[in-house]
Amino acid sequence: MALSPQWLDELRSRITLSGVISRTTKLQRAGREFKACCPFHNEKTPSFTVNDEKGFYHCFGCGAHGDVIRWMTDQRGLSFMDAVKELAAQAGMDVPAPDPRMAKQQQQRAGLHDVMAAAQDWFKANLLGPEGGRARAYLQSRGFNDLTIERFGFGYAPDDRQVIRQALSQFEVKELIEVGLLIAVEGRDPYARFRGRLMLPIQDARQRVIAFGGRILEAQKTDAPKYLNSPDTPLFDKGRTLYNLHRAGPVSRKSNRLIVVEGYMDVIALAAAGFEDAVAPLGTALTENQIELLWRMVDVPVLCFDGDSAGQRAAMRAISRALPLLRPGHSLSIVHLPSGMDPDDLLKRDGPQAMEKLLAEPKSLIDTIWDHEAAAQPLRTPEDKAGLRARLIEQVELIEDREIKSLYRRDLLDRFYAFAFPKREFTPAPPQRRKGQGSPRGEYRPSLTAEAKKRLQGFASGGSRDRLALSVVAGLARHPELISEHVEALSRLTPDDMQFAASIDVLLEVADTLEMGEDLPISALGHFAAPPDKTRFTFLTEGSDPQVAREDLAEAVSLLVERPALEAALRDATARFEQTFEQEAFDEQQRLLKRKLEFEARLGQMASKRAAAQAQETAPAPSFSDEEGDPGKMD
């Protein structure tokens, strides 16, 4: 009976491996895995592990390894079909009835494996024969010894269009075409796909040859591709296959590392230098299926692509494929090789220790995204910086996991705002005293340019509807001695309104000129007074308790800085709910609406303090527009 891989995967997903093994072997939890003394050999110290998430068991002592079906056949002694039937009964699944067509396909596939095995033997024999001299010379130039050549199965395809048909005459021509060894052209005889090339077998998890890769050796053939792989066949799906995974997988379980390089020659160069846990895609960018294969081995595989522009583009294509698949605990890390170098170049120049150092300090996925997008274009103008923000958000939107998307958005935007609006260094300058004046307390006034005063007054008289921003600017102008206390918060503020941004800049300029703790009258800033009644707080009222005014101003600055993040989160949650109508999105929207109400309530409490203070209002008011509405209401 032939069972489809999809059905078997469904069976494995419905069975908890640790539950099956624990019936006969005592397991102890160890983090995300289980440990036990190996049931396949005698040992005193546990080296047998069971990983439910990855669906396999492994013994580091004797090398026993397999999934739940393998456990039933190896430990219980059942036949494959008996193991499947018992597990299917536990999972509540029906074993499919025999399918004659699938059985025939299995039989045909087995015959195609025979074709590939014979082709591999022929290629290997050619390498050792008279025609293989150039191929042997190339391998010697790469520094590959006999052990590496034998281990990876190097061979040679003669530069002849028909000789392979004669060499494999025991198989039908249609079989040679089906496995990609011959190319069929209408009206002409089929001819060899691989000619004059160094050959490498590509193997599946059971170490059967399913495809070939060939590197050209004839330098004059400039129009031919340097590397050529088999096409997709009944045996080979390049988007679901990783070169060398059958060797690297067992090693990765010990090293907890899997290195992804660009091509199979990079894999072999690394293996020859002692890095056995390397794999490579096969002529395509890393696919979603290949990423899932990697995650079945390790949680965070390392991408190690060439240091040229093509290698960096390949890394970013892989990252774009990975972002929608991200889930808690699973990601990618990135190693950037020196410019213009591949792994073999680095190994020959600096030795294995240089590669080990790079692999020990890979960049995270989010660091790589930031570095790539920040370097993608010049960042000289506000428009350039806005483009960077748009590119970062575009990357974030690829992520499907909501929690990870939210964390990426926050982290990348924090980096963006720190770059676009760098924190100002506050170093108060000593006051410049005027000659002939009396008391030092009354001598000094901040020295503002006419343009700075114009900007500050422009915001006050510009008809802004942002009552909270108007109040904070007015409050800081009335109490410039408090500006220094809020320098850090104000420097994090990223206002969209240009007049507001200009007024914040002026206040920070004032902070730079003040001596810490110095009191200054309001006249120092050009008689910048309070807004009309509906925007009054204690810090805008003459005669208010200084401590209460100080506390309220600090609270207002805090709310002003908090507001943009709250508004952005509420917009995102509302948009998600309108798109998906999911309960989770609705709950998030309601939680943020509640926070908004709390935000406005805090503003209302501050206004109540002002009313209770019964302050005297003596200072003249600037030309704020007197529109109706809550003084702190978010527009």
Side-chain angles (χ1 to χ4, degrees), residues 318-573:
I319 289 172
S320 296
R321 294 277 179 87
L323 287 174
L325 307 177
L326 293 181
R327 54 182 181 266
H330 291 77
S331 187
L332 299 174
S333 56
I334 318 294
V335 163
H336 292 289
L337 293 173
S339 179
M341 301 188 77
D342 62 22
D344 193 32
D345 295 330
L346 181 65
L347 290 168
K348 287 179 178 177
R349 191 188 75 175
D350 299 332
Q353 65 277 5
M355 177 62 70
E356 190 65 60
K357 182 178 180 181
L358 285 176
L359 293 172
E361 300 175 351
K363 281 189 175 182
S364 68
L365 196 60
I366 196 167
D367 286 342
T368 303
I369 292 172
W370 168 259
D371 290 344
H372 175 80
E373 297 299 351
Q377 295 182 16
L379 298 173
R380 296 186 295 265
T381 68
E383 293 83 0
D384 294 338
K385 295 177 182 178
L388 170 60
R389 187 182 188 279
R391 294 195 300 275
L392 294 173
I393 295 300
E394 184 177 355
Q395 295 281 11
V396 170
E397 288 303 313
L398 295 175
I399 302 172
E400 294 184 0
D401 185 284
R402 291 194 183 92
E403 184 66 23
I404 295 176
K405 176 187 284 191
S406 175
L407 293 170
Y408 263 64
R409 179 189 293 273
R410 177 183 298 179
D411 190 297
L412 288 172
L413 288 182
D414 282 350
R415 298 182 193 211
F416 170 77
Y417 289 130
F419 163 76
F421 304 95
K423 181 178 177 181
R424 299 167 184 265
E425 292 295 330
F426 178 66
T427 53
Q432 299 175 356
R433 307 295 181 185
R434 294 182 179 178
K435 295 181 180 180
Q437 297 287 328
S439 168
R441 180 63 69 183
E443 290 179 0
Y444 170 61
R445 297 291 184 271
S447 177
L448 290 180
T449 65
E451 176 62 25
K453 292 181 180 179
K454 181 179 178 181
R455 281 186 287 162
L456 192 61
Q457 292 290 345
F459 176 63
S461 60
S464 173
R465 298 184 61 183
D466 191 335
R467 304 292 184 168
L468 178 59
L470 286 167
S471 299
V472 167
V473 172
L476 290 169
R478 289 179 59 83
H479 302 279
E481 74 279 4
L482 302 181
I483 296 175
S484 61
E485 297 181 15
H486 306 294
V487 165
E488 184 175 353
L490 291 172
S491 65
R492 294 199 309 268
L493 195 58
T494 55
D496 294 327
D497 181 271
M498 297 306 294
Q499 284 188 322
F500 182 24
S503 68
I504 293 296
D505 284 343
V506 170
L507 293 174
L508 294 174
E509 289 173 14
V510 172
D512 289 340
T513 65
L514 281 174
E515 183 176 8
M516 189 70 72
E518 184 171 14
D519 294 328
L520 290 172
I522 188 171
S523 59
L525 288 175
H527 299 283
F528 193 98
D533 293 338
K534 291 173 184 170
T535 58
R536 289 291 178 89
F537 295 98
T538 54
F539 54 80
L540 299 177
T541 306
E542 294 294 331
S544 295
D545 183 290
Q547 184 59 32
V548 174
R550 179 186 292 268
E551 293 172 356
D552 280 0
L553 182 56
E555 176 76 354
V557 171
S558 174
L559 291 173
L560 185 63
V561 175
E562 176 187 343
R563 184 178 58 180
L566 176 57
E567 290 176 332
L570 182 56
R571 283 195 302 271
D572 287 348

Side-chain angles (χ1 to χ4, degrees), residues 89-335:
Q90 296 174 26
M93 296 175 64
D94 294 325
V95 178
D99 185 342
R101 291 176 301 176
M102 186 173 291
K104 185 178 180 180
Q105 290 175 359
Q106 288 288 98
Q107 186 177 2
Q108 291 174 339
R109 192 172 287 115
L112 297 180
H113 281 299
D114 293 336
V115 176
M116 299 300 277
Q120 167 63 5
D121 291 341
W122 182 65
F123 288 139
K124 288 178 65 176
N126 291 333
L127 179 65
L128 301 177
E131 290 185 308
R134 286 182 303 141
R136 293 194 300 272
Y138 172 78
L139 291 171
Q140 185 177 12
S141 72
R142 294 292 298 258
F144 297 152
N145 58 29
D146 291 343
L147 178 62
T148 298
I149 293 171
E150 176 63 28
R151 182 184 178 201
F152 285 92
F154 280 104
Y156 176 67
D159 193 5
D160 188 293
R161 298 169 75 89
Q162 297 298 329
V163 69
I164 192 171
R165 289 182 61 179
Q166 302 166 12
L168 302 179
S169 59
Q170 70 269 37
F171 302 106
E172 296 183 17
V173 170
K174 67 177 184 180
E175 291 179 307
L176 300 179
I177 294 172
E178 195 169 7
V179 296
L181 292 173
L182 291 181
I183 298 175
V185 180
E186 187 175 355
R188 298 171 56 187
D189 287 339
Y191 61 93
R193 179 180 301 275
F194 301 102
R195 303 183 306 279
R197 291 180 179 270
L198 179 72
M199 299 298 293
L200 266 175
I202 298 166
Q203 296 163 286
D204 64 10
R206 295 169 62 180
Q207 302 184 34
R208 297 174 299 184
V209 178
I210 58 174
F212 289 99
R215 189 195 189 282
I216 199 166
L217 294 171
E218 187 61 63
Q220 287 76 18
K221 294 184 177 180
T222 55
D223 58 333
K226 184 177 181 181
Y227 291 97
L228 180 66
N229 294 325
S230 294
D232 284 348
T233 70
L235 301 181
F236 176 56
D237 182 341
K238 68 172 72 72
R240 296 176 179 269
T241 306
L242 286 165
Y243 177 73
N244 200 49
L245 187 61
H246 66 290
R247 297 186 190 93
V251 178
S252 73
R253 297 182 188 105
K254 297 180 181 180
S255 67
N256 195 33
R257 179 183 69 185
L258 203 56
I259 310 165
V260 185
V261 290
E262 286 193 67
Y264 32 72
M265 297 304 288
D266 294 328
V267 169
I268 297 167
L270 284 170
F275 300 90
E276 304 280 354
D277 45 1
V279 299
L282 292 155
T284 64
L286 203 63
T287 67
E288 290 85 350
N289 289 311
Q290 290 169 333
I291 293 169
E292 291 291 353
L293 277 175
L294 294 169
W295 282 342
R296 290 178 63 180
M297 300 294 152
V298 297
D299 293 340
V300 186
V302 182
L303 302 189
C304 181
F305 289 170
D306 295 355
D308 57 13
S309 58
Q312 299 312 304
R313 287 195 300 271
M316 288 309 300
R317 285 196 299 270
I319 289 172
S320 296
R321 294 277 179 87
L323 287 174
L325 307 177
L326 293 181
R327 54 182 181 266
H330 291 77
S331 187
L332 299 174
S333 56
I334 318 294
V335 163

Side-chain angles (χ1 to χ4, degrees), residues 58-79:
H58 182 77
C59 177
F60 292 97
C62 68
H65 180 84
D67 59 11
V68 68
I69 299 175
R70 185 70 177 267
W71 170 264
M72 300 290 280
T73 59
D74 289 2
Q75 205 276 333
R76 296 274 304 278
L78 300 178
S79 69

